[in-house]
Amino acid sequence: MRPSPTRDARRKLISVAAISAALLAGMTTTVAAQTSTSSPSTSTSTEKADVTPAAQAAAAPAERLIVGYKSGAAEAKSNKAADADAEAKGKKAGEDLDFQRRLGTGAALVDLGAELKKADVADVIAQYQADPQVAYVVPDRLNKPQADPNDTEYSKQWDLFESTAGMRVPGAWSTSTGSGVTVAVIDTGYVAHSDVAANIVGGYDFISDTAVSVDGDGRDSNPADPGDWYATDECGTGTGSSSSSWHGTHVAGTIAAVTNNSKGVAGIAYNAKISPLRVLGKCGGYDSDIIDAITWASGGTVSGVPANTNVAKVINMSLGGSGACTSATQTAINGAVNRGTTVVVAAGNDNDNASKYSPASCSNVITVAATGRSGSRASYSNYGSIVDISAPGGDMSTATANGIYSTLNSGTKTASTESYAYYQGTSMATPHIVGLVALMKSANPSLTPAQIESAIKTNARALPGTCSGGCGAGLADATKTVQAVATSGGSTGGTTFSSTSAVSIPDAGSAVESPITVSGRSGNAPSTLQVGVDITHTYRGDLVIDLVAPDGSTYRLKSSSTSDSADNVSATYTVDASSETANGTWKLRVQDTAAQDTGTINSWKLTF
């Protein structure tokens, strides 16, 4: 083995994402909160051997390759032969490779050399993949200790980590923690809690009826929850009475409670931000207020309400009422999804078919059923063919500790001291999926709502328990889902290259460009090159969008139109780029052709 005294000092780590990309290149490729009434608040498929891209954790670094040779190869047993092979392949790739040692399995550990770039890594991998004596080549990943969060009540959060029916959240945290994603919680508002406060951003109070708002006024920029208690029969004959639920705060804690702060609970997407939108007050909340909240949360315009500076990429609606989805509510949801916002809703707590309830029965949403600690459908949870996925919602019929533990307030009417409590309901299951969506969107910002829903369903695991009536694709698996979208971009095949660097689009100005460098591909681009675009703009009809190939050729994706007055561009275009060399720098070129509106290229991607 040739000595390499300078390598230990440099420790130049190559991203596993770059190595994975190179590996893939060789492959073909009347509304009430939905909390159960028994809770305190009534209310790339390929045949390339041993290359598994989903297992290549995109966030992990590596500086070496592990090369497995076929049993008959000289390099499988001879260190000298493996060393000579590394030297020869390095020479062909123009790099200085170094055989380090033999692993216990017989595989060879090969150092990648100093100052390698992505294209260099691709060349090296290609040399090994082309060798018929090589059984596999994978990155030597750098692993780190996986400690539990130090939050004092974390042990009560079985729903996150238990092997039987937990959502397998901790394994996703090494890839994503929700950074850069805003979640709108359309609910009762938010009561101050120190375990969530650092992740709260501006929201809005959309309750227009003062009898419902009980805060002395109508709509305003203060989404504080004053309490939603009511006296006996105050909400109709036979409704009984109820203490304040602080429902929105419980939901917010499940999604994004501050984590590793030696206090309270851990949030699923603990680096995401929560924008509380108040629509539920005394006795519930009206469709009209909820519709405006959906529109505003996703970046749409609501008359009399200032523009939203905290546009959400995912909306949590742990609420519902009887009756099928109306055209009015469906229109608002469609608008949000068209603007690129994923909408997640509770299936309902009536042990009934969810098709009878709204917004559970709406299209373009992810409808969530609840499971208990054993993994069976919770006794109260709605079910049916419109349910998309299940998530832990708790079932306290056997023990309080089998509920979902999160942030709350001890006040029975008005706010008192902050606290924590167990709740159960599809209201509690919904924020589990919302937290997962935030992790996914942070790991891969270019994912569309349709891709997000598909990935959650595809990567779900079989329900550990039983479900009568239909519980969707199974129990959501956070680790598997986040790893899948981080490595494959949520696509069903091929390799994805993406850019998440924001580029401002000047009003009626010159065209701007966002580049993506493609490497490790062979030959030309496909005739069905997928171009995913995520652009925020207040009048998308002003925009002209082109794809620019490495040789400067342009492909028109979108033309300007005076009749297209909607917001934002969240779309995937198919381009016949078969005449273009795949490797090189591709650009998304965007120009605003008219005055009065501005925007931003948030992200875009190419899927080969």
Side-chain angles (χ1 to χ4, degrees):
M1 182 173 70
R2 292 176 286 111
S4 183
T6 61
R7 297 188 187 210
D8 289 338
R10 58 155 176 93
R11 298 292 87 180
K12 167 78 171 175
L13 297 182
I14 305 297
S15 165
V16 167
I19 297 175
S20 294
L23 287 166
L24 283 163
M27 304 167 66
T28 306
T29 56
T30 311
V31 182
Q34 290 291 3
T35 305
S36 169
T37 54
S38 55
S39 76
S41 68
T42 62
S43 19
T44 40
S45 176
T46 312
E47 292 298 328
K48 193 77 171 182
D50 295 312
V51 180
T52 54
Q56 320 290 358
E63 58 182 1
R64 292 173 289 260
L65 297 176
I66 299 173
V67 181
Y69 291 94
K70 294 180 180 178
S71 58
E75 295 86 353
K77 297 179 180 179
S78 168
N79 289 356
K80 183 177 180 179
D83 184 30
D85 189 45
E87 185 175 2
K89 285 182 168 57
K91 186 176 294 185
K92 288 181 181 179
E95 302 300 332
D96 182 22
L97 303 188
D98 184 20
F99 168 73
Q100 295 283 292
R101 61 184 172 86
R102 182 78 53 183
L103 304 188
T105 59
L109 184 64
V110 178
D111 191 287
L112 285 169
E115 305 302 325
L116 252 68
K117 297 179 182 178
K118 289 183 180 180
D120 304 326
V121 173
D123 289 342
V124 170
I125 297 238
Q127 293 296 324
Y128 277 107
Q129 286 186 319
D131 188 343
Q133 297 302 316
V134 172
Y136 61 83
V137 54
V138 297
D140 181 21
R141 298 179 298 184
L142 181 67
N143 294 273
K144 298 180 180 180
Q146 296 296 315
D148 286 343
N150 63 20
D151 303 78
T152 54
E153 306 298 321
Y154 178 68
S155 62
K156 298 178 180 178
Q157 295 182 272
W158 62 268
D159 47 305
L160 303 191
F161 61 80
E162 278 193 355
S163 58
T164 300
M167 208 174 74
R168 297 181 177 173
V169 174
W173 286 334
S174 61
T175 302
S176 175
T177 57
S179 297
V181 178
T182 296
V183 177
V185 175
I186 298 179
D187 213 292
T188 63
Y190 164 73
V191 61
H193 199 294
S194 63
D195 207 11
V196 188
N199 284 335
I200 297 294
V201 296
Y204 208 80
D205 180 356
F206 278 93
I207 301 178
S208 51
D209 187 331
T210 55
V212 176
S213 70
V214 296
D215 61 358
D217 55 30
R219 292 184 171 182
D220 57 42
S221 60
N222 181 11
D225 185 351
D228 58 356
W229 66 276
Y230 53 87
T232 301
D233 293 342
E234 191 173 5
C235 296
T237 303
T239 56
S241 62
S242 175
S243 300
S244 290
S245 68
W246 316 112
H247 189 271
T249 301
H250 197 278
V251 168
T254 298
I255 298 168
V258 178
T259 302
N260 283 315
N261 60 342
S262 300
K263 175 180 185 172
V265 295
I268 292 171
Y270 58 79
N271 278 326
K273 300 299 181 185
I274 299 289
S275 174
L277 306 187
R278 186 168 181 251
V279 298
L280 303 180
K282 179 168 287 193
C283 303
Y286 288 102
D287 277 356
S288 53
D289 291 338
I290 294 168
I291 287 167
D292 280 351
I294 294 169
T295 302
W296 191 81
S298 57
T301 301
V302 176
S303 178
V305 180
N308 186 2
T309 57
N310 297 297
V311 175
K313 289 302 180 184
V314 55
I315 288 173
N316 188 110
M317 288 202 289
S318 292
L319 48 79
S322 60
C325 183
T326 66
S327 297
T329 298
Q330 188 65 66
T331 298
I333 289 170
N334 290 346
V337 172
N338 288 339
R339 287 185 283 270
T341 300
T342 300
V343 181
V344 186
V345 305
N349 302 319
D350 305 277
N351 188 27
D352 197 0
N353 197 306
S355 63
K356 302 176 184 178
Y357 301 86
S358 178
S361 60
C362 295
S363 301
N364 270 348
V365 299
I366 300 176
T367 301
V368 186
T371 54
R373 199 166 183 172
S374 68
S376 295
R377 176 174 69 86
S379 58
Y380 54 80
S381 177
N382 285 354
Y383 50 81
S385 60
I386 65 167
V387 170
D388 295 300
I389 195 70
S390 295
D395 193 335
M396 296 160 64
S397 60
T398 53
T400 299
N402 291 340
I404 305 300
Y405 200 67
S406 188
T407 48
L408 212 67
N409 191 279
S410 64
T412 57
K413 291 186 176 180
T414 58
S416 181
T417 57
E418 64 179 41
S419 64
Y420 301 85
Y422 290 100
Y423 272 10
Q424 65 176 18
T426 54
S427 272
M428 284 58 256
T430 303
H432 282 75
I433 299 301
V434 167
L436 172 54
V437 174
L439 294 177
M440 297 167 68
K441 195 69 175 175
S442 179
N444 189 338
S446 61
L447 290 173
T448 66
Q451 288 174 326
I452 286 170
E453 179 176 346
S454 175
I456 290 174
K457 291 179 177 180
T458 299
N459 292 288
R461 59 186 174 115
L463 216 63
T466 61
C467 173
S468 57
C471 289
L475 183 62
D477 187 321
T479 295
K480 186 178 178 183
T481 305
V482 172
Q483 287 181 349
V485 300
T487 57
S488 70
S491 64
T492 57
T495 305
T496 297
F497 299 83
S498 61
S499 171
T500 57
S501 299
V503 178
S504 296
I505 305 169
D507 186 27
S510 301
V512 295
E513 294 180 339
S514 174
I516 289 177
T517 299
V518 174
S519 62
R521 304 296 301 175
S522 59
N524 287 359
S527 59
T528 56
L529 179 64
Q530 302 295 296
V531 187
V533 177
D534 181 9
I535 296 174
T536 300
H537 196 275
T538 49
Y539 193 98
R540 68 185 184 203
D542 292 352
L543 298 181
V544 174
I545 306 175
D546 292 307
L547 176 68
V548 184
D551 68 354
S553 301
T554 59
Y555 297 83
R556 179 59 48 89
L557 303 180
K558 179 189 175 301
S559 300
S560 60
S561 172
T562 56
S563 63
D564 188 4
S565 61
D567 299 336
N568 309 329
V569 180
S570 180
T572 299
Y573 302 93
T574 301
V575 174
D576 182 356
S578 56
S579 63
E580 305 291 342
T581 300
N583 288 339
T585 300
W586 297 73
K587 299 175 183 177
L588 187 72
R589 179 182 293 163
V590 182
Q591 183 174 15
D592 186 331
T593 61
Q596 299 182 348
D597 296 274
T598 59
T600 302
I601 302 174
N602 299 311
S603 63
W604 71 289
K605 66 179 180 178
L606 294 169
T607 301
F608 288 81

